[in-house]
Amino acid sequence: MWAYTFRRILYNIPIFLGIVLLLMVLLRVNDPVYAQLSKNATEVEIAAKRVELGIDRPLLVQFAEFMLPIRLDEEGVHWTGSVFGFDDRSWYREDSVWNIVRPSVMPSLSLTVPALILSTFLSVAVGLVSAANRGRWIDRALVFFAVIGMSISFLVFIIFGQYFGAYWLTQAIGFELFAVRGYEAVAAPEVLDPDAGLTIRGWLNRYNVPSLLGWPKHCLLPVMISVIVTLGYDTRFYRSVIVEQSTSDYIRTARAKGCPERTVLVKHLLRNAMIPIITRVMITLPFVVVGSLLLEVYFSIPGLGQTLFTHVTNKDFPVTQTIVAVLAIIFIASNILTDVLYALVDPRVRLS
Amino acid sequence: MSDPKPTSPKQATSADSPPDLLAARAGANRPKGFFDLPGVRKFMRNRMAVVALAIIVVFFATAISIMVPPGLIKIDAVTERVGLSKEPGFGRLAAVKDRISHADRIVSDVDKALRTSDPQSSLAAFGYAERTVFSTEPELVEDKLGEVNDKFDALDDAIADYEDALDERDAYLKDIDAAQVAADASELAALSDAVDAADAAKLAQLELLEGEIAELMPIPDSLAYKLRLLLGTDAQGRSVFLRAVYSIKTAVQIGFVTSFIAVVMGGLLGAAAGYFGGLIDHAVVWLYSTISAIPYLIWLIVIAFVVREISTPDDWKFFAGIPLGQTLIPVYLAFILTFWIGPCRVVRGEAMKIKSLDYIQSARSIGASQKRILLRHVVPNTAYLLFINMSLLFVGAIKAEVILSFLGLGVQGQPSWGIMIKDAKDEVINGFFWQIGAATAFMFVLVLAFNIVSDALQDAFDPKHVG
């Protein structure tokens, strides 16, 4: 297994290099210098800015500096100890990339992890109900609703979710159950003192972990909207997976030997449907990390998606490159993990 | 794996050497035309899919008739003011507050026209589409405006009365506690009646004012004008109906161009990778794993953003010197770069399977070139996958356009459902649903039709698909 994992990691290195290189090339299609300067900048100013931003050097040098913990100049190679540009300066805010990325990870996760877990369990359950009643009215109704849900834009779900869940509900019950903007960390950042890193609370603050009481108010509504949106796609997918399994011989055998229907569905069928279910969940993992950009924008949650969007549109390349590189690593790791998980849930799978 | 289509016309006709009996049987079973193909027949039996297909055809026809000159709807028609802001559709009355502000708007607009140095021509030029001032004689209009203003003053008085009545009741309720109210309900009832009466008087006054305004600026009786106000107006007084219909063109254009190019590109790359294997396969797989490692929304944002600011060379025929951001090209590029991966994956897998089938072997044995085998045998036999993918990508493009437009990276300079939904964001808080409703409904019908058709296509042509 370790040999297999190691081989997979080696195999994925060119993919990782490709992602970062492709992104770096794409971002340099437009000369970023002009965005950083006013229109009537002189040649000298432009050249100086280019040196300051470090984009005067060949692309491959920039690429190597990004990937390896080194810095290259006339005097040779220097050890910097940080990879993927975490210690670079942001071009948009006076801060290092790490300081911008760090507080935005947890808000994203606090939104998308509950949504992923909830929607997976719900849609597997609904898919099971639908498949068990295949062809009957309940199955038809569920499939019909799934298709309807798939045909409405995500944005419309968000806008109406906000209107009814926050605005209308607040008027109906007299107090604000769900808020449409804001995010509460465990404590406000200004409370943070330099030594706080040592305490648990300080650590939670550094990473902008949501407060337990603030979470339902700010994050539950977007989580519900996200679950409703995903339900349409996932239910249909899991239903077809389960239907496909239910025509296999082992199900017929189980029924023939007199297994109760519940046991057949849960013990035999669901176990064998684990592989596609795991694949689907693992495929969505990178999206979980970047968060639901739209939800973050609409509910003003300072997550990774919103950070990435703000910094892309403000031509902040260091932050963009770092976030994309991290996402790529997560994607590759989740791919490898998927294969290992296959072997864990299904003894027939051998990693070789 | 049974193949729903005849592999190639050549094979069907080359069966003329065996005995007659066999030829006759082959002829009897051979599909005669497009509608006799088993997959097509299965598709046509699905009544819902046929209806959905008809709806798609209607949408396409509308899009083409807008696109082809002279054009069913011109771009000027969707950007001009046809009425007051945020009028509801189906001839319904707006909220009282909005009705008053509409009246106010008309009065101030007419007044502005009268105050110009040449009132006659500015009155002639003024109007909301076909709805113009009843006369271009400044004196006549001035008189009428005077009458309208009288009614407006009366309305203001009525509003003041109503507010006084409200205040009186509130003051009463504030001073007195609940027990006393229960003991002596008559006074409160009297006060409430006064409020209702003042409210009714206010409404009556408003209707009188609107009557005057209808004389000042009569609402045209023509069908064309009614059609424009069918679904109301947006915040800038533009016709929601026309914008929603015009957006069909935007959606179909984006959907068709991107899904077609993505499917052709993905299909060819996938077929080549699957059929040739080796280095080509490695290169294609590397390319699509690289691109699909990043959530496509991020690619969309980066590409749309990067390409937008490039200005086109001056010698380009159609958009000389226009920044690319004002065309649909960034949207196309962003979608195509991410969309070709789906069909490429599927076709690659299918091509790997087809490569070892008998008819490919026989084509090779009679000396067909690699290119010919690829284009005449492999690609046509994956055609059903391409069609299914195209309809899936079409839906994907329409939905992604909404998201890009919301983020400000999508369509520019023409209406689209995404732009309408984005514009409607603030209206919804004020309880105005016409714009978002219209955009959603139009989009819903098209996307639903495509979803149904792609399901039916999979049922009919994909043997692995479970329904």
Side-chain angles (χ1 to χ4, degrees):
Chain A
M1 195 169 108
W2 291 111
Y4 173 80
T5 314
F6 184 66
R7 215 154 0 106
R8 280 297 304 267
I9 291 173
L10 280 187
Y11 175 77
N12 275 299
I13 286 176
I15 292 181
F16 178 64
L17 298 180
I19 295 162
V20 177
L21 197 60
L22 186 64
L23 183 79
M24 286 180 117
V25 171
L26 258 181
L27 287 177
R28 284 161 180 76
V29 169
N30 262 345
D31 197 336
V33 171
Y34 297 104
Q36 308 286 329
L37 292 168
S38 63
K39 270 183 189 150
N40 34 20
T42 61
E43 291 285 321
V44 181
E45 278 175 323
I46 290 174
K49 192 80 188 173
R50 222 181 274 275
V51 173
E52 186 198 324
L53 298 179
I55 48 175
D56 56 324
R57 293 161 314 150
L59 181 67
L60 279 179
V61 171
Q62 297 177 41
F63 181 63
E65 284 190 353
F66 185 80
M67 296 308 260
L68 302 168
I70 53 167
R71 193 162 49 79
L72 297 165
D73 56 22
E74 288 80 24
E75 289 148 32
V77 182
H78 305 270
W79 177 262
T80 57
S82 86
V83 282
F84 308 145
F86 273 125
D87 276 353
D88 290 355
R89 305 301 295 176
S90 157
W91 294 357
Y92 173 55
R93 273 183 12 204
E94 285 296 314
D95 218 338
S96 76
V97 172
W98 171 238
N99 280 341
I100 290 168
V101 174
R102 174 175 35 78
S104 60
V105 175
M106 282 314 287
S108 268
L109 291 184
S110 69
L111 205 63
T112 44
V113 169
L116 180 70
I117 295 173
L118 259 177
S119 65
T120 305
F121 275 98
L122 266 177
S123 43
V124 168
V126 176
L128 205 58
V129 169
S130 192
N133 296 292
R134 190 183 174 195
R136 295 201 202 120
W137 69 267
I138 182 160
D139 174 41
R140 280 159 195 267
L142 286 173
V143 171
F144 181 70
F145 278 119
V147 176
I148 299 257
M150 283 165 65
S151 305
I152 297 174
S153 173
F154 196 179
L155 274 186
V156 174
F157 276 109
I158 297 179
I159 293 176
F160 279 99
Q162 276 201 340
Y163 180 76
F164 289 108
Y167 176 75
W168 179 84
L169 194 69
T170 305
Q171 291 205 325
I173 61 175
F175 68 94
E176 198 179 33
L177 189 62
F178 300 123
V180 287
R181 55 187 67 257
Y183 173 85
E184 275 174 38
V186 172
E190 55 265 25
V191 184
L192 192 66
D193 60 289
D195 306 322
L198 298 170
T199 65
I200 293 178
R201 199 179 167 78
W203 187 86
L204 293 178
N205 264 328
R206 276 175 73 85
Y207 287 88
N208 215 355
V209 177
S211 75
L212 221 52
L213 288 173
W215 186 84
K217 186 172 175 185
H218 298 291
C219 299
L220 192 56
L221 185 61
V223 164
M224 290 196 297
I225 293 173
S226 159
V227 168
I228 291 172
V229 173
T230 342
L231 217 52
Y233 298 89
D234 282 6
T235 301
R236 266 168 57 98
F237 175 79
Y238 292 131
R239 176 187 171 275
S240 69
V241 163
I242 294 165
V243 165
E244 209 177 330
Q245 290 288 333
S246 65
T247 52
S248 339
D249 288 339
Y250 68 86
I251 294 289
R252 203 172 308 132
T253 314
R255 289 220 173 93
K257 72 180 185 192
C259 266
E261 192 61 26
R262 253 178 81 128
T263 324
V264 172
L265 285 182
V266 177
K267 263 199 157 164
H268 293 83
L269 206 155
L270 212 50
R271 274 196 160 189
N272 279 284
M274 266 333 249
I275 287 210
I277 293 175
I278 288 180
T279 314
R280 177 107 178 161
V281 172
M282 296 308 273
I283 284 176
T284 43
L285 265 190
F287 299 82
V288 165
V289 179
V290 76
S292 242
L293 192 149
L294 290 180
L295 285 172
E296 285 171 12
V297 171
Y298 255 101
F299 285 86
S300 316
I301 291 169
L304 206 53
Q306 204 184 29
T307 306
L308 181 64
F309 180 66
T310 322
H311 288 262
V312 171
T313 45
N314 286 298
K315 307 189 191 207
D316 188 353
F317 295 171
V319 172
T320 312
Q321 285 166 187
T322 302
I323 294 183
V324 169
V326 171
L327 279 178
I329 290 176
I330 293 169
F331 172 81
I332 289 167
S334 72
N335 258 353
I336 297 172
L337 196 65
T338 313
D339 286 344
V340 176
L341 274 180
Y342 283 167
L344 288 181
V345 298
D346 192 339
R348 286 169 303 187
V349 174
R350 296 214 180 278
L351 300 177
S352 59
Chain B
M1 217 45 56
S2 69
D3 200 284
K5 287 181 157 189
T7 49
S8 83
K10 207 169 212 163
Q11 273 197 336
T13 49
S14 68
D16 51 10
S17 50
D20 286 339
L21 190 69
L22 216 73
R25 273 191 63 193
N29 287 340
R30 206 178 65 213
K32 291 172 199 77
F34 178 72
F35 286 97
D36 294 315
L37 294 173
V40 176
R41 271 161 67 186
K42 196 169 173 196
F43 182 87
M44 298 303 276
R45 271 204 298 276
N46 186 340
R47 228 176 302 149
M48 214 148 82
V50 175
V51 173
L53 195 63
I55 290 173
I56 293 175
V57 169
V58 171
F59 270 80
F60 269 70
T62 315
I64 291 169
S65 60
I66 292 171
M67 232 180 290
V68 175
L72 184 67
I73 302 172
K74 298 214 171 46
I75 187 77
D76 305 342
V78 293
T79 48
E80 89 176 320
R81 179 180 270 279
V82 299
L84 298 149
S85 76
K86 291 201 252 177
E87 280 188 64
F90 294 131
R92 290 167 65 105
L93 285 177
V96 173
K97 192 180 74 190
D98 290 337
R99 280 162 71 185
I100 297 172
S101 76
H102 287 167
D104 198 36
R105 168 87 199 217
I106 290 185
V107 170
S108 66
D109 277 357
V110 174
D111 198 42
K112 214 184 287 164
L114 276 177
R115 279 165 200 273
T116 52
S117 54
D118 183 7
Q120 188 144 11
S121 58
S122 40
L123 275 176
F126 169 69
Y128 308 132
E130 288 146 42
R131 188 178 176 188
T132 49
V133 182
F134 73 107
S135 157
T136 51
E137 284 304 314
E139 291 81 32
L140 284 175
V141 176
E142 195 110 36
D143 289 348
K144 194 78 210 164
L145 199 60
E147 285 172 39
V148 171
N149 274 327
D150 288 347
K151 290 281 183 303
F152 228 122
D153 292 341
L155 176 66
D156 283 342
D157 291 344
I159 292 173
D161 287 347
Y162 171 68
E163 272 161 10
D164 284 347
L166 262 185
D167 285 346
E168 211 170 310
R169 189 176 64 176
D170 287 347
Y172 174 76
L173 282 175
K174 207 174 178 184
D175 291 343
I176 217 160
D177 58 43
Q180 280 169 293
V181 172
D184 183 19
S186 63
E187 194 168 348
L188 181 62
L191 283 172
S192 292
D193 285 346
V195 169
D196 290 345
D199 196 19
K202 183 181 85 174
L203 276 181
Q205 226 19 272
L206 179 60
E207 269 160 30
L208 284 179
L209 170 67
E210 282 174 340
E212 286 292 339
I213 282 180
E215 282 173 29
L216 177 68
M217 276 190 91
I219 295 172
D221 224 13
S222 70
L223 188 67
Y225 189 75
K226 284 204 173 122
L227 213 56
R228 286 184 205 185
L229 288 186
L230 183 69
L231 296 177
T233 57
D234 67 359
Q236 288 153 51
R238 299 174 299 190
S239 162
V240 167
F241 179 69
L242 285 193
R243 285 174 76 76
V245 173
Y246 193 92
S247 303
I248 294 177
K249 178 218 141 195
T250 317
V252 168
Q253 201 180 340
I254 293 177
F256 187 77
V257 172
T258 54
S259 64
F260 183 75
I261 297 179
V263 159
V264 169
M265 190 172 139
L268 283 179
L269 280 177
Y275 179 69
F276 294 121
L279 204 62
I280 297 178
D281 191 33
H282 280 301
V284 170
V285 172
W286 174 80
L287 193 62
Y288 74 59
S289 338
T290 300
I291 293 174
S292 64
I294 300 302
Y296 87 104
L297 197 57
I298 294 181
W299 284 129
L300 289 188
I301 293 172
V302 171
I303 295 167
F305 169 72
V306 165
V307 181
R308 266 184 64 172
E309 312 228 330
I310 301 173
S311 50
T312 49
D314 287 332
D315 50 350
W316 275 26
K317 201 172 173 191
F318 290 110
F319 348 80
I322 305 173
L324 276 185
Q326 282 168 27
T327 66
L328 286 176
I329 291 176
V331 182
Y332 292 155
L333 280 180
F335 287 1
I336 291 166
L337 185 97
T338 49
F339 282 4
W340 65 274
I341 293 168
C344 183
R345 267 197 181 134
V346 191
V347 169
R348 174 174 167 268
E350 192 70 12
M352 281 162 95
K353 217 163 55 199
I354 290 176
K355 157 168 103 168
S356 58
L357 293 182
D358 288 345
Y359 63 84
I360 300 291
Q361 303 291 341
S362 58
R364 197 174 293 151
S365 68
I366 60 170
S369 68
Q370 295 278 44
K371 193 178 126 205
R372 189 184 163 83
I373 294 176
L374 188 69
L375 293 180
R376 296 295 298 270
H377 298 284
V378 178
V379 172
N381 279 297
T382 56
Y384 75 98
L385 288 174
L386 297 181
F387 271 109
I388 293 167
N389 264 286
M390 193 168 157
S391 87
L392 291 175
L393 292 181
F394 202 103
V395 171
I398 293 172
K399 292 172 108 175
E401 181 274 312
V402 173
I403 293 173
L404 273 197
S405 292
F406 166 73
L407 295 174
L409 298 169
V411 177
Q412 317 273 328
Q414 55 176 316
S416 81
W417 294 321
I419 288 180
M420 290 177 74
I421 291 176
K422 178 189 164 201
D423 288 349
K425 192 183 119 193
D426 301 324
E427 297 169 1
V428 169
I429 309 290
N430 301 320
F432 185 80
F433 295 110
W434 287 94
Q435 179 158 226
I436 191 173
T440 308
F442 271 76
M443 189 178 141
F444 174 73
V445 171
L446 183 60
V447 173
L448 184 67
F450 262 106
N451 278 335
I452 291 173
V453 165
S454 50
D455 273 1
L457 279 177
Q458 284 179 15
D459 273 343
F461 290 105
D462 190 350
K464 278 171 295 189
H465 182 253
V466 288

